[in-house]
Amino acid sequence: VRSIARVAASFLFSCVTLSLGAGPSAGCGEDGSAPYAGWDTAEDSDGVYRVRFLAPPWKRVPTTEGDGRIELVVPQVFGSLDAGTPPKYTLEASLLRGLALPTLQAEIARISSARVLRDPAPFTTLSSDIGFSAVLADSTNARFYQLVTLAAPSDRALLVVVELNEDPRNDLEIDAMLRAIDVRPFAE
Amino acid sequence: MRAANRPPLAVLALSSLTLLFAAAARADDPAVTAVDTPSLARDGEVRASDGPAAIPSVAAADSDAPRQSGAALAEPPAGVAPRRAEPLPAPVDEDPPWDGPRVELGYTHYSLGDGFGGGAVHAVSFGGYLPTGQLRLGLIGDGGARDYALGGGDAVLRATLVAGWQGVGLVDYVMPYVVAVASCGVVVGQRFATTFADALLGLGVEVGFEVNPVRTLHFGASLAHVRADLDGLGYGLWVLRLFVGL
């Protein structure tokens, strides 16, 4: 009986110690387990949309002030040196006049050397913005393209073009990045 | 000349046959068999299976121990003298318990969430602690894989220093302990086809127990709450560790 009492007392003491240790430490820093924790946000100059990206490896490329564009790249680097070769990934977002689907079809036609791997299909972001998505492959430069258009205010469409080396249909990271795009009105 | 000194073949054959018959007759005699090849069974009986070394000594034969076939030992047949058993070797003391550092091999599990539903870490741990009485002072290293929901897993390596109290002798066979833990490590993986290596630092509290069934063999479990930092992000880790050690 005394042994059981000792174990019970030790267990209670341990629980109290553990909870005391866990309590004060629970509020330090941003919660890394939260969705998109540690990701940065890029917002266009007019505040119409914003894109989340993980930096590094993504880097924002400066664009002309007021053109409504956002350009991001994942450069090929060796150590801290940019290899100068085409980036592993590029993402370009821009606002165009028109609706989402015709804008996407026009962009597919513009990349004439590419073949369509996935026809335009409905696409919804985490903030419930609605649009369309398609996947292309360009054999001339061995690059893949994922195109997304989203409805934007003032009869505009947000066109997002991601260029990469691998088939984006299996790339969950790119999918997570595209689904995090938010068009005004922004979700909280 | 040499042939004349040899014994005749008939004499040799007769001698051999005589010896064989004598041996066969001894083998058929149960009393003689019991004397030649006895052994002490668990209940004190003498059984014919072990070697002569197991023959009880004369002193043992005079004792009050229960005997059955032992009667044959008391009155051995003519020509068969009971042999004294070799003196029993002095009892050898068991090796004193190992009082050096204890080592442990274990399995460690915790979740270093990636924000997309992954982050579970499964690791193998190896470590130990010093024989410092109530003060528990040890070092544990673990290495494993972290699940990443959006791609290939990450590798996690960690070293943890523990210091605190352990209840030596508090309860038979069971030793609880409470320690502070400080850990450092590295997480290596890929994001968007780019390799990264981020430092993982942590501080926390661990409670656990060891069950010590025999000598230094022990097994146990522990639960720790560690506040960790990975590349500027905070994590509240609940670290479960199961281990076995010597």
Side-chain angles (χ1 to χ4, degrees):
Chain A
V1 172
R2 287 170 59 187
S3 295
I4 293 172
R6 282 175 174 171
V7 170
S10 174
F11 179 74
L12 280 176
F13 174 68
S14 301
C15 289
V16 170
T17 308
L18 195 63
S19 58
L20 287 176
S25 64
C28 304
E30 182 187 357
D31 181 10
S33 301
Y36 297 95
W39 288 46
D40 290 342
T41 301
E43 189 168 320
D44 76 300
S45 54
D46 296 333
V48 177
Y49 68 94
R50 56 191 182 190
V51 179
R52 282 177 170 164
F53 62 103
L54 181 65
W58 285 92
K59 285 194 337 188
R60 186 169 183 179
V61 178
T63 55
T64 306
E65 187 68 26
D67 66 355
R69 291 178 62 242
I70 290 177
E71 186 175 346
L72 304 168
V73 298
V74 177
Q76 292 272 10
V77 292
F78 291 101
S80 58
L81 298 176
D82 192 328
T85 54
K88 295 176 184 174
Y89 296 86
T90 63
L91 182 148
E92 293 182 26
S94 54
L95 286 167
L96 301 173
R97 288 283 168 196
L99 299 176
L101 185 56
T103 301
L104 179 61
Q105 291 167 333
E107 185 65 16
I108 292 173
R110 192 181 68 78
I111 310 175
S112 57
S113 59
R115 64 189 172 91
V116 177
L117 295 181
R118 188 174 68 200
D119 288 323
F123 183 86
T124 306
T125 66
L126 294 174
S127 52
S128 301
D129 294 312
I130 297 171
F132 295 89
S133 171
V135 175
L136 313 178
D138 189 345
S139 57
T140 59
N141 59 2
R143 298 281 273 183
F144 293 84
Y145 299 89
Q146 179 156 9
L147 312 179
V148 172
T149 54
L150 296 170
S154 307
D155 294 329
R156 288 182 296 181
L158 171 65
L159 170 65
V160 181
V161 180
V162 179
E163 182 182 336
L164 64 166
N165 293 323
E166 305 290 336
D167 188 342
R169 290 177 295 180
N170 304 320
D171 194 327
L172 298 178
E173 289 180 315
I174 287 296
D175 186 64
M177 192 170 173
L178 291 172
R179 291 192 187 280
I181 293 173
D182 195 3
V183 180
R184 189 174 288 279
F186 295 140
E188 292 303 322
Chain B
M1 289 291 290
R2 294 170 63 186
N5 291 335
R6 290 178 184 167
L9 281 177
V11 174
L12 285 175
L14 189 59
S15 303
S16 302
L17 282 174
T18 306
L19 289 172
L20 280 173
F21 280 125
R26 281 169 56 88
D28 290 338
D29 186 345
V32 173
T33 303
V35 171
D36 280 348
T37 57
S39 72
L40 287 175
R42 190 178 304 169
D43 55 0
E45 291 183 9
V46 179
R47 290 180 181 165
S49 62
D50 291 343
I55 296 174
S57 65
V58 173
D62 292 337
S63 70
D64 294 330
R67 291 177 296 173
Q68 291 182 3
S69 300
L73 292 174
E75 297 178 5
V80 180
R83 289 181 290 170
R84 289 184 181 275
E86 294 292 329
L88 291 174
V92 178
D93 290 338
E94 289 189 353
D95 292 337
W98 169 252
D99 58 357
R102 302 288 181 89
V103 292
E104 296 170 351
L105 185 65
Y107 161 76
T108 303
H109 172 68
Y110 55 96
S111 181
L112 198 59
D114 63 3
F116 300 99
V121 177
H122 302 277
V124 174
S125 65
F126 180 76
Y129 57 90
L130 298 172
T132 43
Q134 303 279 71
L135 171 66
R136 188 178 180 93
L137 193 62
L139 183 67
I140 301 164
D142 62 65
R146 176 197 186 198
D147 171 49
Y148 176 47
L150 304 182
D154 306 326
V156 182
L157 291 173
R158 211 166 55 110
T160 303
L161 184 66
V162 303
W165 168 86
Q166 58 186 4
V168 177
L170 190 66
V171 184
D172 290 343
Y173 304 113
V174 178
M175 183 177 72
Y177 65 88
V178 182
V179 292
V181 299
S183 64
C184 65
V186 63
V187 179
V188 181
Q190 283 204 326
R191 296 290 182 270
F192 295 95
T194 305
T195 302
F196 72 93
D198 289 334
L200 176 65
L201 304 172
L203 281 173
V205 180
E206 176 180 312
V207 298
F209 67 93
E210 290 180 4
V211 178
N212 193 179
V214 57
R215 296 180 67 81
T216 60
L217 174 66
H218 62 277
F219 56 88
S222 69
L223 180 66
H225 181 82
V226 176
R227 188 64 195 174
D229 179 279
L230 175 65
D231 192 28
L233 298 175
Y235 296 85
L237 308 180
W238 289 97
V239 183
L240 172 69
R241 192 165 66 91
L242 307 173
F243 55 88
V244 61
L246 291 171

